[in-house]
Amino acid sequence: MQDTIVAGAYLCDEETVKVVCTEGPDRIRELIAMGASFDHGDDGNLHLAREGGHSHHRIVHAADMTGREIERALLEAVVNDPNISVFKHHFAIDLLTSQDGSDTVCHGIDALNTETQEVVRFISKVTLLASGGAGHIYPSTTNPLVATGDGMAMAHRAQAVISNMEFVQFHPTALADEGLPIKPKKTRENSFLITEAVRGDGGILYNLSMERFMPLYDERAELAPRDVVARSIDDQLKKRNEKYVLLDISHKPREKILSHFPNIANECLQHGLDITQQPIPVVPAAHYMCGGVRAGLQGETNVHGLYVAGEVACTGLHGANRLASNSLLEALVFARRAVQPSINHMKSSSLDLSASSLWTCPLVPKSLGSDVMHKILRITKEVRKELQSIMWKYVGIVRSTSRLQEAEQKIGKLEAKWETYLFEHGWQQTMVALEACEMRNLFCCAKLVVSSALARHESRGLHYMTDFPHLEESKRLPTVIFPSSHTTGTWSSRQLHQQPIVNSMV
């Protein structure tokens, strides 16, 4: 608990921290019972690793691919359960909601089958978002290609409360492709992660002149928490006008390096670099959103029937900065906690299947023709890159009020330009295409990050402001973004079925 709260810069919700630390071990036992396989030491007990910010060796892991192993075990359990239907290649567009007095109620979701290009409507008493983060609002991220903030954006449009979006964790060490002897043939979809455990195991950071720099910034040197390490690297890169720094583990025994980091060693070797002999080129990359849809201790939101778990949620566990490995733990604990209230909600609410026709159905833009669609997709791709570069330049690891305001203006202009282009080319308010819907969500999340960052007049955890460089005890409160009214705003900030009816008379 202490390590979590210290890493979170005392912004964590203490009750949430207690729940996760208390229930975590049982969740791990359940995973093992499901078939997840974790590393064991010579004594036959689980091997426990230590990562940045942890005072003890306590992290259960599967070599350097723990997340992958957990996902493998869970997916296998899902596939083998006849009671669970999986709809692959379905992209969630918007939540279906209605107003019951002052309450918002969720009735399911509209999705786009990206293989057949058909819209599918799911009517449900209970919806749980487990859609992950929004790393792709930045040019370099460790997140998978699908992490475009879809859950956060859909929930925001559906009147859910959003919290702490300014706290974006940059992983200090993603593989810097430009520093590899053999460059990758094509640009990666996401950055390759060099785990914290490399530093935990004695890895040392150098700049390109082979000067060790971490002791200049923090007495814990390479074992300082992620935000400190990321800021220090960022400072070195800016001061020296360099693209990456070096992480060296080669002073350790070869066998030890290869047994602890097989995945990293293999990836580097494919690009002509032997980590047992040479340092690894690394650069910070967007890694984890500590903020998200505000959730209670049962994963519930302020929207009835809507639950959240994992990175899309803001449970209060991470505060202003997530402690290493707490993300997997939080996802497991809250997914489990959301079960009973979901069942209770389901039993107490009635489902009107005829209600399906209450919402306008999204349209697939077949009528536009392939030439126009091709143009729209090309422009959308360019706009996506431009948004990412604005975010990295103005809303990155180190921020200031003036630069955040500049970002706000630039994003507003870019979004207006993109929407105008779409609508001038025959796009309609209820039209959907994967790339356009992702873009809409990226705009929505980027704006949530900027407005949250502007609201915090202090530096705390991951949010570092040059014009407010200190912690302010009076500001030790979560940032909260309440639902906005439907009447105003851009295409990205309204649900498709809430679009204003525009007479398209020419």
Side-chain angles (χ1 to χ4, degrees):
M1 281 184 70
Q2 183 64 14
D3 287 352
T4 296
I5 290 166
V6 169
Y10 295 91
L11 199 69
C12 308
D13 179 272
E14 212 162 311
E15 203 179 347
T16 308
V17 177
K18 193 170 187 177
V19 159
V20 173
C21 294
T22 309
E23 298 180 10
D26 283 346
R27 299 294 82 85
I28 291 171
R29 289 185 193 101
E30 284 174 8
L31 277 178
I32 294 169
M34 265 184 197
S37 154
F38 298 113
D39 290 6
H40 287 73
D42 298 336
D43 60 358
N45 292 324
L46 284 167
H47 181 267
L48 301 178
R50 179 182 174 189
E51 294 181 1
H54 284 270
S55 56
H56 293 74
H57 287 262
R58 61 158 78 96
I59 297 159
V60 172
H61 63 102
D64 54 353
M65 296 172 277
T66 312
R68 180 188 290 185
E69 174 55 20
I70 291 175
E71 190 170 325
R72 183 204 62 74
L74 288 173
L75 280 175
E76 194 172 283
V78 164
V79 169
N80 293 333
D81 189 327
N83 205 23
I84 301 175
S85 307
V86 178
F87 294 83
K88 292 184 181 180
H89 308 291
H90 279 60
F91 174 83
I93 301 162
D94 256 327
L95 296 165
L96 301 170
T97 55
S98 69
Q99 289 301 121
D100 179 6
S102 61
D103 293 340
T104 304
V105 186
C106 182
H107 305 277
I109 203 157
D110 272 338
L112 175 68
N113 180 333
T114 57
E115 305 259 289
T116 65
Q117 296 301 312
E118 289 170 308
V119 173
V120 186
R121 178 161 285 176
F122 294 91
I123 297 290
S124 169
K125 290 180 180 179
V126 172
T127 305
L128 180 131
L129 296 174
S131 51
H136 285 276
I137 57 178
Y138 292 98
S140 172
T141 176
T142 58
N143 294 180
L145 207 50
V146 295
T148 47
D150 309 317
M152 295 162 183
M154 286 192 301
H156 175 62
R157 290 193 291 265
Q159 308 285 293
V161 174
I162 305 288
S163 189
N164 287 357
M165 289 291 280
E166 69 271 39
F167 300 115
V168 181
Q169 188 169 73
F170 287 84
H171 198 287
T173 55
L175 188 60
D177 289 338
E178 54 256 275
L180 293 167
I182 303 166
K183 310 280 179 284
K185 291 189 176 60
K186 59 184 202 313
T187 318
R188 292 178 198 270
E189 291 182 349
N190 57 334
S191 309
F192 184 84
L193 186 67
I194 305 295
T195 167
E196 300 249 41
V198 174
R199 297 201 318 280
D201 251 14
I204 294 173
L205 284 162
Y206 297 98
N207 60 28
L208 296 190
S209 305
M210 286 311 284
E211 298 161 345
R212 184 181 182 189
F213 59 84
M214 273 315 296
L216 305 173
Y217 295 96
D218 194 287
E219 61 200 19
R220 293 165 290 187
E222 281 78 10
L223 286 176
R226 281 179 196 191
D227 55 324
V228 177
V229 180
R231 260 200 308 281
S232 308
I233 294 173
D234 189 61
D235 189 58
Q236 285 285 309
L237 298 181
K238 286 195 168 93
K239 274 184 185 156
R240 301 172 55 88
N241 199 21
E242 288 168 355
K243 290 269 191 242
Y244 55 89
V245 296
L246 300 167
L247 176 59
D248 190 24
I249 189 80
S250 65
H251 51 280
K252 292 285 176 187
R254 181 182 160 83
E255 305 68 51
K256 203 170 176 181
I257 297 172
L258 295 178
S259 73
H260 282 195
F261 310 113
N263 196 29
I264 295 169
N266 180 39
E267 179 67 29
C268 289
L269 208 53
Q270 285 181 20
H271 297 100
L273 189 124
D274 179 355
I275 69 166
T276 66
Q277 305 280 316
Q278 299 156 284
I280 308 162
V282 294
V283 68
H287 183 54
Y288 188 87
M289 305 289 286
C290 292
V293 185
R294 189 159 162 172
L297 286 171
Q298 251 71 47
E300 77 280 15
T301 69
N302 63 304
V303 175
H304 295 278
L306 182 65
Y307 297 82
V308 283
E311 193 173 350
V312 67
C314 181
T315 64
L317 172 70
H318 308 308
N321 185 13
R322 170 174 80 77
L323 181 67
S325 290
N326 264 358
S327 48
L328 295 171
L329 200 59
E330 178 197 45
L332 297 168
V333 169
F334 277 87
R336 182 70 185 80
R337 284 190 139 241
V339 174
Q340 198 52 51
S342 297
I343 295 168
N344 300 345
H345 180 82
M346 193 183 75
K347 285 178 174 164
S348 67
S349 57
S350 57
L351 191 60
D352 181 7
L353 283 173
S354 67
S356 180
S357 55
L358 287 177
W359 302 277
T360 321
C361 211
L363 288 172
V364 178
K366 290 197 176 96
S367 58
L368 297 185
S370 60
D371 280 2
V372 170
M373 268 318 283
H374 190 72
K375 276 186 191 164
I376 284 177
L377 296 185
R378 198 193 71 234
I379 274 283
T380 301
K381 208 172 186 173
E382 287 169 17
V383 167
R384 181 167 168 148
K385 278 207 169 76
E386 204 173 325
L387 175 69
Q388 291 169 334
S389 94
I390 293 168
M391 289 299 288
W392 178 237
K393 194 171 172 190
Y394 297 95
V395 200
I397 297 174
V398 174
R399 304 164 178 172
S400 73
T401 303
S402 59
R403 293 177 72 76
L404 288 170
Q405 286 167 340
E406 214 170 319
E408 197 167 43
Q409 287 166 348
K410 285 182 188 295
I411 292 167
K413 276 187 188 147
L414 182 66
E415 186 179 22
K417 185 180 94 174
W418 177 65
E419 287 191 7
T420 305
Y421 186 91
L422 258 63
F423 294 123
E424 280 176 356
H425 284 77
W427 193 265
Q428 289 167 29
Q429 300 274 1
T430 53
M431 279 183 175
V432 290
L434 174 66
E435 296 83 353
C437 286
E438 281 193 336
M439 191 67 240
R440 166 177 182 246
N441 295 336
L442 289 167
F443 268 124
C444 186
C445 287
K447 291 188 298 187
L448 289 170
V449 171
V450 174
S451 55
S452 302
L454 275 167
R456 185 168 291 278
H457 297 167
E458 65 162 353
S459 287
R460 186 181 292 274
L462 298 164
H463 175 67
Y464 188 81
M465 294 280 271
T466 54
D467 46 344
F468 298 105
H470 304 295
L471 271 177
E472 298 274 346
E473 180 54 30
S474 64
K475 298 192 165 38
R476 190 162 65 87
L477 293 163
T479 307
V480 181
I481 295 179
F482 289 103
S484 55
S485 68
H486 279 306
T487 47
T488 55
T490 54
W491 188 55
S492 77
S493 54
R494 289 187 302 259
Q495 287 168 304
L496 286 187
H497 55 83
Q498 291 280 2
Q499 298 297 340
I501 306 303
V502 181
N503 288 331
S504 51
M505 290 175 70
V506 180

